[in-house]
Amino acid sequence: GAVVSQHPSWVICKSGTSVKIECRSLDFQATTMFWYRQFPKQSLMLMATSNEGSKATYEQGVEKDKFLINHASLTLSTLTVTSAHPEDSSFYICSASRSGMVSDTQYFGPGTRLTVL
Amino acid sequence: AQKITQTQPGMFVQEKEAVTLDCTYDTSDPSYGLFWYKQPSSGEMIFLIYQGSYDQQNATEGRYSLNFQKARKSANLVISASQLGDSAMYFCAMREGLSSASKIIFGSGTRLSIRP
């Protein structure tokens, strides 16, 4: 149980276009989802915390107008990279927490590799 | 503010030997959780082990154990009888508070390479 999927697994786009990444909890309800970005050979950096039905909380230094997050249901959160540029090329990973669970891990999706040309 | 420090960028270990990966943390919250994750080259994050700040016993999961030294604020991961498949990046992480809705912050990671 506790499976999280991401779609697409990889995407290549042209500079200036927008890209949407989906994160789904397949077999549990996730009140809270998290979005991370990981550059090559670096750690995961938290971008934002997404709560179902409310606005996301962004970490310091993350542009909320560039990285649009929507958490419309208990099983789906989306990250849209608007007007993508080559410096946005990265590995984007989402994770989800099971609702009502204490001392539980987050469950990570397999990640989405974004390449902006 | 919470902080996680991993001081070993890379480690080489002979197969079948035990290995300890270091992790220190800093937080002012008395309630927190500590995690270790493994990230192979495929990129997926694999949860290994969890230790809560109020847990009296060190956590163990198969070949993984967490050496929790609360006073020293350290949470080292011990892998016994290492295997070739253990070669990967390992991240120590911390969550302030015990709710699964709180964010998890990651250390910089340690790349573990197992020699045959």
Side-chain angles (χ1 to χ4, degrees):
Chain A
V3 178
V4 176
S5 70
Q6 273 184 252
H7 179 79
S9 55
W10 59 270
V11 57
I12 301 173
C13 69
K14 292 183 179 180
S15 186
T17 61
S18 294
V19 175
K20 180 185 282 188
I21 302 170
E22 292 185 349
C23 177
R24 292 181 185 273
S25 56
L26 298 185
D27 51 2
F28 66 99
Q29 292 186 330
T31 307
T32 306
M33 289 184 170
F34 305 86
W35 287 96
Y36 295 85
R37 180 167 54 180
Q38 185 179 31
F39 292 109
K41 298 188 179 182
Q42 293 188 24
S43 185
L44 280 72
M45 298 301 296
L46 180 65
M47 299 175 68
T49 301
S50 165
N51 290 296
E52 186 264 338
S54 63
K55 291 184 179 180
T57 301
Y58 290 82
E59 294 298 301
Q60 192 172 9
V62 177
E63 300 175 60
K64 57 184 68 178
D65 292 333
K66 181 168 184 63
F67 298 100
L68 301 179
I69 291 171
N70 184 277
H71 192 161
S73 78
L74 286 173
T75 59
L76 173 64
S77 176
T78 60
L79 168 67
T80 301
V81 183
T82 63
S83 187
H85 291 286
E87 57 265 31
D88 298 324
S89 298
S90 187
F91 191 54
Y92 292 87
I93 308 174
C94 73
S95 68
S97 297
R98 291 190 290 185
S99 302
M101 299 298 290
V102 177
S103 301
D104 196 17
T105 183
Q106 292 175 9
Y107 296 91
F108 287 83
T112 296
R113 194 163 300 282
L114 171 64
T115 301
V116 185
L117 302 177
Chain B
Q2 57 182 342
K3 186 178 179 181
I4 288 282
T5 303
Q6 294 180 255
T7 57
Q8 306 155 308
M11 288 188 70
F12 287 89
V13 172
Q14 202 68 30
E15 189 181 7
K16 298 181 184 178
E17 289 184 350
V19 56
T20 298
L21 305 181
D22 295 341
C23 174
T24 58
Y25 61 93
D26 191 23
T27 178
S28 56
D29 194 328
S31 302
Y32 54 89
L34 297 159
F35 303 81
W36 277 93
Y37 293 90
K38 172 183 178 181
Q39 187 181 41
S41 56
S42 60
E44 62 182 311
M45 295 294 289
I46 301 170
F47 165 68
L48 297 177
I49 197 165
Y50 168 83
Q51 180 86 42
S53 59
Y54 298 112
D55 294 342
Q56 297 294 316
Q57 307 262 8
N58 284 347
T60 61
E61 289 287 348
R63 293 188 299 114
Y64 304 107
S65 61
L66 198 152
N67 185 0
F68 183 42
Q69 305 272 332
K70 194 170 183 177
R72 299 176 60 183
K73 292 189 175 180
S74 75
N76 298 340
L77 176 71
V78 180
I79 305 174
S80 63
S82 57
Q83 302 171 357
L84 296 178
D86 294 334
S87 295
M89 280 292 290
Y90 288 79
F91 293 101
C92 180
M94 179 174 68
R95 176 169 62 207
E96 288 185 327
L98 299 178
S99 168
S100 58
S102 299
K103 62 185 180 183
I104 291 178
I105 302 298
F106 287 81
S108 56
T110 296
R111 180 168 296 281
L112 177 64
S113 300
I114 307 298
R115 293 191 179 115

